[in-house]
Amino acid sequence: MANLVMFCILAVVIIGSAIMCVTTKRIMRAATFLLFVLFGVAGIYFLLDYTFLGAAQISVYAGGITMMYIFAIQLVSKRTLQGLEEHVKGSRVLWGALSILIAFATVIVVFFKNQLFDRMTQMSEAGEVPMEQIGTALLGSEKYQWVLPFEFISIFLLACIIGGIMIARKEEKK
């Protein structure tokens, strides 16, 4: 019962912070709400007794990625951020809602077509996947293991940040 109450509290925090993250007009507040979302996800990992994933969530995402976003925000000139307001038109909201419905319908069709619900119930009956197997899959460098894609993504993110800094620091020549 306590796990259910804790899950509900974490779910409300995650959903509320995610909504506030995408609806706020202040970029630093958006980064702060993103931090709350990441802490909530780490709380769910701890609730499920996945302490390694919870600690990785806090150290890598809540600590590293959020700080990287905040540094990138701080490097952008204040003139760029001042007076930056966007008015939402009704047609944009309509198109956004329509695209969300199409994406949701696509996910449901793929789930039913590939019989993923049946596979998930079969996996839950077979038992949990051992943490050693998950760690080997994430940190291995052989076929169907994920350390090399993670490294490529980190290099790509670093290149994006450097490009963003170069664009933000570009002086106008008169």
Side-chain angles (χ1 to χ4, degrees):
M1 182 67 181
N3 284 343
L4 180 63
V5 171
M6 197 64 201
F7 174 78
C8 291
I9 291 170
L10 287 171
V12 167
V13 167
I14 290 170
I15 292 171
S17 297
I19 290 172
M20 291 301 294
C21 180
V22 298
T23 57
T24 186
K25 291 183 180 181
R26 306 228 179 221
I27 195 162
M28 288 302 288
R29 287 184 185 166
T32 304
F33 286 125
L34 176 67
L35 183 67
F36 290 145
V37 169
L38 295 173
F39 276 130
V41 171
I44 288 180
Y45 286 144
F46 286 124
L47 191 64
L48 293 171
D49 289 332
Y50 288 137
T51 54
F52 173 74
L53 289 177
Q57 176 78 15
I58 289 174
S59 64
V60 173
Y61 290 107
I65 301 297
T66 306
M67 290 305 116
M68 185 174 61
Y69 285 157
I70 290 173
F71 287 146
I73 289 168
Q74 294 295 328
L75 286 173
V76 175
S77 66
K78 290 184 180 181
R79 287 179 286 152
T80 307
L81 295 177
Q82 287 176 349
L84 186 65
E85 287 187 22
E86 183 176 333
H87 301 286
V88 180
K89 297 179 182 176
S91 62
R92 290 181 91 184
V93 172
L94 181 64
W95 282 109
L98 183 64
S99 61
I100 287 172
L101 286 174
I102 290 171
F104 184 70
T106 304
V107 168
I108 295 298
V109 166
V110 167
F111 266 37
F112 283 122
K113 182 181 178 199
N114 293 328
Q115 301 165 346
L116 291 176
F117 290 119
D118 295 335
R119 290 183 189 168
M120 284 190 279
T121 56
Q122 289 172 357
M123 285 177 60
S124 66
E125 292 171 1
E128 289 187 16
V129 177
M131 188 57 77
E132 181 180 337
Q133 185 178 356
I134 293 172
T136 302
L138 286 176
L139 298 176
S141 62
E142 296 181 17
K143 189 174 184 181
Y144 302 120
Q145 294 179 345
W146 294 97
V147 76
L148 291 177
F150 283 150
E151 291 298 323
F152 288 131
I153 289 172
S154 67
I155 292 170
F156 178 72
L157 285 174
L158 180 64
C160 289
I161 291 172
I162 291 172
I165 291 170
M166 293 303 290
I167 290 171
R169 291 293 178 192
K170 197 177 271 188
E171 297 285 331
E172 290 184 21
K173 295 181 180 179
K174 293 183 181 182

